[in-house]
Each structure stands twice: as structure tokens, then as C-alpha cells.
Amino acid sequence: MNEWSRLDAAELNEIYVEQLEQYKAYQDRKLRLDMSRGKPCPEQLDLSAGMLDAIRAGEPVTAEDGTDARNYGGLDGLPEAKRLFADLLGVQPDEVIVGGSSSLTMMYDTIVRAMLFGVPGGDKPWGKEAAVKFLCPSPGYDRHFAICEQLGIEMIVVDMKEDGPDMDQVERLVAEDAAVKGIWCVPKYSNPDGITYSDVVVDRLAGMKTKAGDFRIFWDNAYVVHDLSPLPSRLKPIFAACREAGCPDRVFEYCSTSKVSFAGSGVAAMAASRGNLDAIRKTLAVQTIGPDKINQLRHVRFFGGPDGVRAHMEKHAAILKPKFAAVLTLLEERLGGIGIASWSKPDGGYFLSLNTMDGCAKAVVAMAAEAGVTLTKAGATFPYGLDPRDRNIRIAPSYPSLNELQTAIEIICLCVRIVSARKLLDARV
Ligand code: PMP
């Protein structure tokens, strides 16, 4: 098939009318398909059913250091839970705090603490600065951007390339402006593109000269063990790179088992230098007497160790792989070779990006909604909800059944074809 931009108006109009007919037939089916968030599907949650029996009534609930997990205490997590996360993140156990169920909460708390009390290396709380700015490689994760927006942190868009953020832009911005205090990174199977940062990008982030002495990288490694391919992407460990570059305090790393065990009842952890963690523990001790240690212990017992987590993730991959494959096959079939869309092909994580022609994403998402397919709001993958090219759509294949997913993607492709044909036709007038 030809690129659509080369078709004449009559040919385009024929496609437009024909696709519209098909769209109306879908509308008549009154479907209700929600693809707005990257949630695990029920079969994935069932994989962790044994978690609920990992501690039975009458069995000891004692951690390896003798802590009674039922009682207060253990501010920064059980030793065996720290060891598990340290292994997954490639750091030392004393560089880890194991928290409650949400890594997003830990990120939010880290930034609020920095705003109220500052971070090691800074001379005042961020909130006392005239302005605080964060670099936001985009498309990115909407909830990161929501934290900044709520706390009045100015967001600066940085382009995403195939191997991570555009480091020329990043290096220039951090070098020239002391108000730039942080950068959001989802370094492995990024949300939404599904790309993994290259070694060069990791090294440049670790070693770049920043005007702010208290600059931090927010390394949200949410998809650290979420491989779909037997040859997983390898992410260079940023802690070692920062240490080698002489900036050991530069990075805060986060992860959780939200998409390993239960999305609502997982365990979250963060890693940072010992200096950073000492500062965090001081405020954490005021915030809480301790996290849910029973849940930490259940997780350690259920998985048995890092290899247990990795084996468990292979079961997730067996469920998710056919879904990602179905999406990619349909996109290629319906949108390939006609020059109206491009998309990422991730080897892991929970999302992929579909990019339409400029100026079409909002219209596609609205049209899909009218045929019963709810997608993440167009623009949500950019700071302030503003996609400057109005082209990025986040696709989350995990939750719907394979059948529902195929129907949803067929509808999305139909909407892309209709909106693109209309746009090309309008441009001819
Ligand atoms: N970070 C990223 C990049 C995510 O995609 C998600 C879930 N969509 C989260 C964090 C949320 O993590 P948690 O459930 O641990 O709060």
C-alpha cells in the first residue's frame, strides 16, 4: 500500500468513508473497554495467590534478626527484605529502605522532604528557593508530572530518543540553571515508550556537571524485572556510575512489587547513598513508627529470594507476551507502511507508545472513547498534559483479555485511519 500522503483526494475520501462505516458498526456494539492504566490482569494477580498463605495462623512471624513482624518498629524495613531489593537493584542492603506498598508514595515523600528540609549537599530547602525546576524526559509517566505540578515545581520537557533522554539538552540545562534540581527517569522499559537507557546515557547522567550542588536523579526503576524477552535489556547500574564519577549522592532509585505480586498490596523500596538515607531516616522516624513488616515477610517467604522473583516474572511474561505481540501484529497490519503512525516495540514493561501524525492524538482518543475504548488521556504523557505535537498515545496491553485487547486495538487503528484521512483531506482543500 502507498503512503497515504501520496494518494489523491478521491482515493483518500474512499478510504475515509469506508472506515467510517466500520467505525459505526463498532459503535453499535456498545463496547466498554478500559485501557487507560497499566494494571495487571486477574490471571497475573492469581500468580501470587500463594502470597496469602505465605504466613499462616500459628506460624512464627519473626524476621531473621528476631524482630516480631506483628509489632511496631523496624523503621526502614526487615533485613531480609532489604537484601532482596538490594539484589534486584544491584546495590548494598544498607543502601535500601523498604517501605509500604507504593513506590510512588516514596517518590512523593522524597520530594516533599526536599522541599521542606533540603537534601545533603544543598544549602537550603528546595521550597525556599525562588524557583525549583525538574527535567521531564517526555513522553513520560503522568504521575511523576502530577507530583511536580502539585508542588509548584516547574517542568522542562526534554526529548526522548531511542536510548534515553536527549543528553545534549539535559547537560546544557543542568549546567546553566541552578534552579534545575532534578530529573525524572524511568530507565528500563520506560513508561510509555518501553525503551531502556543506553550505557552512554547512564554515564552522562552520572557524570554531568550540574550548577545545583544538590541536584538529584529520580531513577524510577519500576520495570527492573519486567522482561518479556529471553534476552532482556541490560541497564547499566547507575549507583556504580555515580560513585565512579565522584557523585555518590546524586541518585534516588525506586521500585516496587506492584506489578510482581499485587498492585494494591505489594512492597516498595528505595535505594540511595548512606548519606542520603541517613537524612531520610530522620524525617521518616517522625512520619511513621514503621512499615507493614508482615507484608515484607510474606513477600520474602513467597519468593524465597531474587531468583524466585525472576522465575515468577517469567510467568508474568507468558501472560503478557501474547498481548504485546497481538498489539504489534495489528498495528503493523492496519497502520504499517502508510506513513500515518509509528510505534515502539518494547522488550518489557507495561506500555508502548503509538505516535500518530502531528495534531491527531486528541481526536483519536476522543473517537475511540465514543466507540467504548477508554485510553489514557491524550497529552497525559507530557508535563501539564500538553503534548506539543499532539501525537502520543499510551497503549497499555496488560489488563484486557486477548479478545478484548484485539477489538480495542482494531478500533484504535480504525480511529487513527479515519482521523489521518480527514487530516490529509483537509490539507488538500
Ligand atoms: N512508576 C512507574 C514508571 C509506573 O509506571 C508505575 C505504575 N504505573 C508506578 C511507578 C507506580 O508504582 P507503585 O505502585 O509502586 O506506586
Side-chain angles (χ1 to χ4, degrees), residues 268-326:
M270 72 176 290
S273 69
R274 291 166 190 113
N276 275 325
L277 290 194
D278 284 343
I280 288 174
R281 272 188 289 261
K282 275 192 197 135
T283 44
L284 197 59
V286 180
Q287 274 186 282
T288 178
I289 311 177
D292 179 347
K293 298 182 295 301
I294 293 181
N295 200 28
Q296 293 185 10
L297 203 55
R298 280 199 303 194
H299 276 72
V300 172
R301 289 190 186 166
F302 178 67
F303 290 119
D307 286 341
V309 174
R310 291 186 193 104
H312 188 79
M313 293 315 290
E314 285 177 21
K315 298 181 198 159
H316 279 281
I319 296 171
L320 288 177
K321 247 165 102 164
K323 295 188 179 182
F324 273 78

XYZ file of all heavy atoms in Angstrom, residues 268-326:
447
model
N 7.227 -1.706 48.390
C 8.042 -0.729 47.659
C 9.372 -0.522 48.366
O 9.486 -0.754 49.571
C 7.290 0.595 47.571
N 10.365 -0.113 47.601
C 11.686 0.134 48.186
C 12.356 1.298 47.476
O 12.031 1.605 46.329
C 12.559 -1.118 48.058
N 13.269 1.945 48.187
C 14.116 2.931 47.525
C 15.569 2.681 47.897
O 15.852 2.083 48.946
C 13.709 4.362 47.881
C 14.031 4.808 49.274
S 13.608 6.576 49.511
C 14.847 7.409 48.508
N 16.458 3.106 47.027
C 17.892 2.963 47.287
C 18.550 4.318 47.110
O 18.148 5.109 46.256
C 18.501 1.945 46.323
N 19.536 4.564 47.947
C 20.290 5.821 47.845
C 21.575 5.650 48.637
O 21.755 4.643 49.341
C 19.475 6.988 48.391
N 22.472 6.641 48.529
C 23.724 6.560 49.286
C 23.419 6.566 50.784
O 22.346 7.006 51.207
C 24.606 7.767 48.951
O 24.007 8.937 49.482
N 24.394 6.102 51.567
C 24.157 6.050 53.024
C 23.878 7.451 53.570
O 23.041 7.629 54.450
C 25.364 5.411 53.714
C 25.413 3.928 53.335
C 26.714 3.227 53.669
N 26.689 1.916 53.040
C 27.490 1.525 52.035
N 28.405 2.340 51.550
N 27.372 0.319 51.518
N 24.553 8.461 53.037
C 24.336 9.846 53.485
C 22.909 10.293 53.212
O 22.238 10.877 54.077
N 22.436 10.005 52.009
C 21.053 10.357 51.673
C 20.070 9.627 52.586
O 19.099 10.207 53.063
C 20.745 9.946 50.224
C 21.171 10.998 49.207
O 21.096 12.189 49.453
N 21.617 10.536 48.049
N 20.331 8.328 52.802
C 19.376 7.540 53.607
C 19.356 7.998 55.060
O 18.297 8.020 55.695
C 19.687 6.044 53.513
C 19.420 5.367 52.169
C 19.455 3.847 52.327
C 18.096 5.776 51.543
N 20.526 8.394 55.601
C 20.546 8.900 56.988
C 19.629 10.109 57.111
O 18.852 10.227 58.061
C 21.974 9.287 57.401
C 22.814 8.048 57.706
O 22.215 6.970 57.909
O 24.057 8.165 57.711
N 19.713 11.002 56.119
C 18.876 12.212 56.157
C 17.399 11.823 56.053
O 16.553 12.385 56.750
C 19.276 13.148 55.020
N 17.100 10.864 55.203
C 15.697 10.453 55.024
C 15.158 9.816 56.302
O 14.045 10.103 56.735
C 15.571 9.482 53.828
C 15.754 10.263 52.525
C 14.223 8.767 53.843
C 15.788 9.406 51.287
N 15.976 8.946 56.915
C 15.502 8.256 58.121
C 15.107 9.237 59.226
O 14.186 8.979 59.994
C 16.555 7.259 58.619
C 16.401 5.878 57.974
C 17.327 4.858 58.612
N 18.706 5.129 58.231
C 19.364 4.479 57.261
N 18.774 3.486 56.620
N 20.603 4.787 56.952
N 15.803 10.397 59.270
C 15.486 11.377 60.317
C 14.033 11.845 60.206
O 13.340 11.975 61.204
C 16.415 12.594 60.194
C 17.724 12.377 60.897
C 18.503 13.672 61.027
C 19.944 13.332 61.344
N 20.904 14.071 60.583
N 13.580 12.116 58.998
C 12.182 12.568 58.864
C 11.225 11.380 58.848
O 10.116 11.478 59.355
C 11.967 13.415 57.599
O 12.617 12.806 56.522
C 12.443 14.830 57.779
N 11.691 10.264 58.304
C 10.838 9.072 58.259
C 10.427 8.676 59.687
O 9.297 8.269 59.943
C 11.610 7.935 57.584
C 10.803 6.744 57.078
C 9.771 7.193 56.050
C 11.738 5.708 56.444
N 11.367 8.848 60.622
C 11.104 8.464 62.014
C 9.997 9.321 62.618
O 9.361 8.928 63.599
C 12.385 8.598 62.838
N 9.768 10.495 62.053
C 8.673 11.339 62.531
C 7.373 10.980 61.806
O 6.291 11.024 62.372
C 9.018 12.835 62.329
C 7.891 13.725 62.832
C 10.327 13.180 63.037
N 7.530 10.553 60.547
C 6.348 10.204 59.740
C 5.662 8.933 60.186
O 4.456 8.785 60.058
C 6.774 9.988 58.276
C 6.842 11.216 57.414
C 7.118 10.806 55.975
O 8.251 10.490 55.624
N 6.092 10.802 55.155
N 6.467 7.933 60.613
C 5.894 6.602 60.871
C 6.697 5.869 61.946
O 7.880 6.161 62.143
C 5.898 5.752 59.580
O 5.377 4.456 59.869
C 7.293 5.583 59.001
N 6.032 4.914 62.610
C 6.775 4.066 63.560
C 7.367 2.888 62.801
O 8.289 2.241 63.256
C 5.854 3.599 64.707
C 5.094 4.799 65.286
C 6.659 2.900 65.798
C 4.102 4.464 66.387
N 6.843 2.621 61.647
C 7.419 1.539 60.836
C 6.447 1.093 59.758
O 5.244 1.343 59.843
N 6.958 0.413 58.736
C 6.108 -0.034 57.629
C 5.403 -1.362 57.953
O 5.576 -1.908 59.045
C 7.121 -0.244 56.506
C 8.371 -0.675 57.222
C 8.376 0.022 58.551
N 4.658 -1.874 56.992
C 3.946 -3.151 57.150
C 4.961 -4.291 56.984
O 5.253 -4.731 55.869
C 2.850 -3.227 56.077
C 2.072 -4.533 56.134
O 2.526 -5.473 56.836
O 1.033 -4.613 55.473
N 5.486 -4.754 58.098
C 6.553 -5.767 58.049
C 5.998 -7.162 57.758
O 6.714 -8.023 57.256
C 7.346 -5.773 59.361
C 8.057 -4.450 59.634
C 8.869 -4.492 60.903
C 8.030 -4.653 62.149
N 7.021 -3.575 62.362
N 4.733 -7.378 58.097
C 4.135 -8.689 57.781
C 4.122 -8.863 56.260
O 4.451 -9.930 55.733
C 2.710 -8.814 58.378
C 2.801 -8.828 59.910
C 2.015 -10.078 57.862
C 1.467 -8.981 60.614
N 3.770 -7.814 55.558
C 3.746 -7.908 54.091
C 5.164 -8.115 53.541
O 5.374 -8.865 52.594
C 3.101 -6.654 53.492
C 2.616 -6.896 52.077
O 2.273 -8.034 51.721
N 2.597 -5.859 51.265
N 6.131 -7.441 54.147
C 7.523 -7.642 53.707
C 7.934 -9.104 53.896
O 8.527 -9.717 52.998
C 8.462 -6.716 54.494
C 8.237 -5.247 54.185
C 9.232 -4.324 54.866
O 10.234 -4.777 55.438
N 8.970 -3.029 54.811
N 7.599 -9.639 55.070
C 7.980 -11.018 55.379
C 7.273 -12.009 54.448
O 7.871 -12.970 53.952
C 7.605 -11.316 56.839
C 8.350 -12.444 57.535
C 9.853 -12.240 57.474
C 7.896 -12.544 58.997
N 5.993 -11.755 54.192
C 5.234 -12.613 53.254
C 5.918 -12.645 51.893
O 6.031 -13.692 51.261
C 3.824 -12.034 53.040
C 2.857 -12.342 54.103
C 1.456 -12.155 53.627
N 1.196 -10.792 53.120
C -0.019 -10.324 52.902
N -1.050 -11.100 53.134
N -0.203 -9.105 52.457
N 6.338 -11.461 51.434
C 6.979 -11.395 50.120
C 8.278 -12.188 50.103
O 8.552 -12.939 49.172
C 7.207 -9.936 49.707
C 5.998 -9.313 49.068
N 4.871 -8.988 49.787
C 5.728 -8.989 47.771
C 3.955 -8.487 48.958
N 4.461 -8.472 47.730
N 9.080 -12.012 51.151
C 10.363 -12.731 51.194
C 10.112 -14.240 51.218
O 10.752 -15.003 50.498
C 11.195 -12.290 52.423
C 12.430 -13.162 52.572
C 11.584 -10.824 52.304
N 9.155 -14.654 52.012
C 8.884 -16.103 52.113
C 8.289 -16.652 50.818
O 8.641 -17.735 50.369
C 7.950 -16.386 53.293
C 8.674 -16.185 54.615
C 7.870 -16.689 55.787
N 8.556 -16.338 57.034
C 7.999 -16.390 58.227
N 6.742 -16.780 58.367
N 8.686 -16.065 59.294
N 7.396 -15.900 50.218
C 6.744 -16.372 48.992
C 7.756 -16.502 47.855
O 7.775 -17.510 47.134
C 5.611 -15.423 48.600
C 4.921 -15.800 47.317
C 4.161 -16.965 47.237
C 5.033 -15.007 46.183
C 3.521 -17.327 46.051
C 4.405 -15.360 44.993
C 3.644 -16.525 44.927
N 8.615 -15.513 47.692
C 9.566 -15.553 46.564
C 10.819 -16.359 46.899
O 11.458 -16.898 45.995
C 9.960 -14.137 46.142
C 8.843 -13.389 45.479
C 8.343 -12.216 46.024
C 8.265 -13.873 44.318
C 7.286 -11.541 45.417
C 7.213 -13.205 43.700
C 6.726 -12.043 44.251
N 11.191 -16.394 48.151
C 12.356 -17.173 48.559
C 13.684 -16.509 48.217
O 14.724 -16.966 48.656
N 13.674 -15.461 47.419
C 14.921 -14.782 47.048
C 14.801 -14.200 45.654
O 13.778 -14.381 44.981
N 15.861 -13.527 45.204
C 15.803 -12.860 43.894
C 15.537 -13.815 42.729
O 14.822 -13.457 41.786
C 17.179 -12.197 43.753
C 17.988 -12.631 44.916
C 17.101 -13.237 45.942
N 16.069 -15.035 42.809
C 15.815 -15.979 41.704
C 14.341 -16.364 41.655
O 13.787 -16.587 40.569
C 16.673 -17.238 41.851
C 18.127 -16.942 41.498
O 18.355 -15.909 40.817
O 19.016 -17.697 41.923
N 13.722 -16.423 42.825
C 12.291 -16.702 42.886
C 11.498 -15.587 42.212
O 10.503 -15.842 41.516
N 11.936 -14.352 42.422
C 11.256 -13.217 41.764
C 11.408 -13.353 40.256
O 10.435 -13.208 39.497
C 11.845 -11.861 42.241
C 11.243 -10.710 41.443
C 11.615 -11.661 43.732
N 12.624 -13.684 39.823
C 12.863 -13.757 38.367
C 12.042 -14.888 37.741
O 11.470 -14.735 36.662
C 14.354 -13.922 38.084
C 15.102 -12.637 38.440
C 16.579 -12.652 38.070
N 17.219 -11.523 38.745
C 17.992 -11.613 39.822
N 18.278 -12.793 40.346
N 18.488 -10.531 40.386
N 11.967 -16.025 38.444
C 11.173 -17.145 37.914
C 9.693 -16.752 37.847
O 8.985 -17.083 36.889
C 11.357 -18.374 38.808
N 9.244 -16.009 38.854
C 7.854 -15.553 38.890
C 7.579 -14.608 37.711
O 6.510 -14.661 37.097
C 7.640 -14.830 40.222
C 6.227 -14.453 40.505
N 5.295 -15.349 40.976
C 5.576 -13.265 40.397
C 4.140 -14.731 41.138
N 4.285 -13.465 40.788
N 8.547 -13.775 37.395
C 8.356 -12.814 36.299
C 8.259 -13.516 34.946
O 7.663 -12.983 34.017
C 9.485 -11.773 36.286
C 9.484 -10.832 37.479
S 7.849 -10.166 37.897
C 7.531 -9.059 36.526
N 8.829 -14.716 34.862
C 8.680 -15.474 33.600
C 7.224 -15.888 33.411
O 6.728 -15.952 32.279
C 9.596 -16.698 33.606
C 11.045 -16.306 33.380
C 11.999 -17.482 33.451
O 11.542 -18.643 33.288
O 13.194 -17.242 33.693
N 6.532 -16.146 34.528
C 5.105 -16.497 34.427
C 4.289 -15.273 33.978
O 3.350 -15.398 33.206
C 4.586 -17.021 35.765
C 5.276 -18.292 36.225
C 4.677 -18.766 37.543
C 5.599 -19.745 38.225
N 5.348 -19.863 39.662
N 4.668 -14.107 34.501
C 4.001 -12.886 34.022
C 4.238 -12.710 32.518
O 3.319 -12.376 31.767
C 4.554 -11.644 34.746
C 3.962 -11.420 36.103
N 2.728 -10.859 36.295
C 4.447 -11.658 37.340
C 2.469 -10.766 37.590
N 3.510 -11.256 38.249
N 5.487 -12.943 32.122
C 5.833 -12.740 30.702
C 5.007 -13.664 29.810
O 4.579 -13.263 28.716
C 7.333 -12.978 30.497
N 4.759 -14.890 30.297
C 3.987 -15.835 29.481
C 2.566 -15.312 29.239
O 1.960 -15.588 28.204
C 3.947 -17.205 30.176
N 2.048 -14.540 30.189
C 0.702 -13.958 30.006
C 0.765 -12.696 29.143
O -0.088 -12.470 28.284
C 0.076 -13.634 31.395
C -0.130 -14.924 32.195
C -1.236 -12.866 31.239
C -0.532 -14.714 33.648
N 1.796 -11.891 29.381
C 1.842 -10.574 28.718
C 2.349 -10.627 27.279
O 1.926 -9.823 26.437
C 2.740 -9.615 29.526
C 2.161 -9.129 30.855
C 3.174 -8.251 31.579
C 0.868 -8.344 30.625
N 3.263 -11.569 27.021
C 3.892 -11.613 25.690
C 2.880 -11.731 24.545
O 2.949 -10.971 23.575
C 4.887 -12.768 25.604
C 6.307 -12.287 25.472
C 7.258 -13.388 25.739
C 7.826 -13.947 24.456
N 9.017 -14.761 24.736
N 1.922 -12.662 24.650
C 0.935 -12.761 23.552
C 0.133 -11.468 23.386
O -0.287 -11.138 22.280
C 0.015 -13.900 24.002
C 0.734 -14.616 25.088
C 1.709 -13.686 25.694
N -0.066 -10.741 24.473
C -0.822 -9.485 24.374
C -0.010 -8.421 23.634
O -0.516 -7.754 22.724
C -1.227 -8.993 25.769
C -2.208 -9.926 26.463
C -2.750 -9.351 27.750
C -3.754 -10.332 28.364
N -4.365 -9.841 29.593
N 1.252 -8.272 24.024
C 2.104 -7.298 23.310
C 2.237 -7.708 21.844
O 2.183 -6.870 20.944
C 3.501 -7.198 23.969
C 3.555 -6.204 25.099
C 3.052 -6.517 26.348
C 4.097 -4.946 24.919
C 3.084 -5.611 27.404
C 4.141 -4.018 25.958
C 3.646 -4.358 27.201
N 2.393 -9.018 21.614
C 2.562 -9.493 20.229
C 1.315 -9.192 19.407
O 1.402 -8.751 18.252
C 2.852 -11.003 20.232
N 0.124 -9.391 20.022
C -1.127 -9.131 19.292
C -1.230 -7.653 18.925
O -1.641 -7.304 17.808
C -2.318 -9.547 20.155
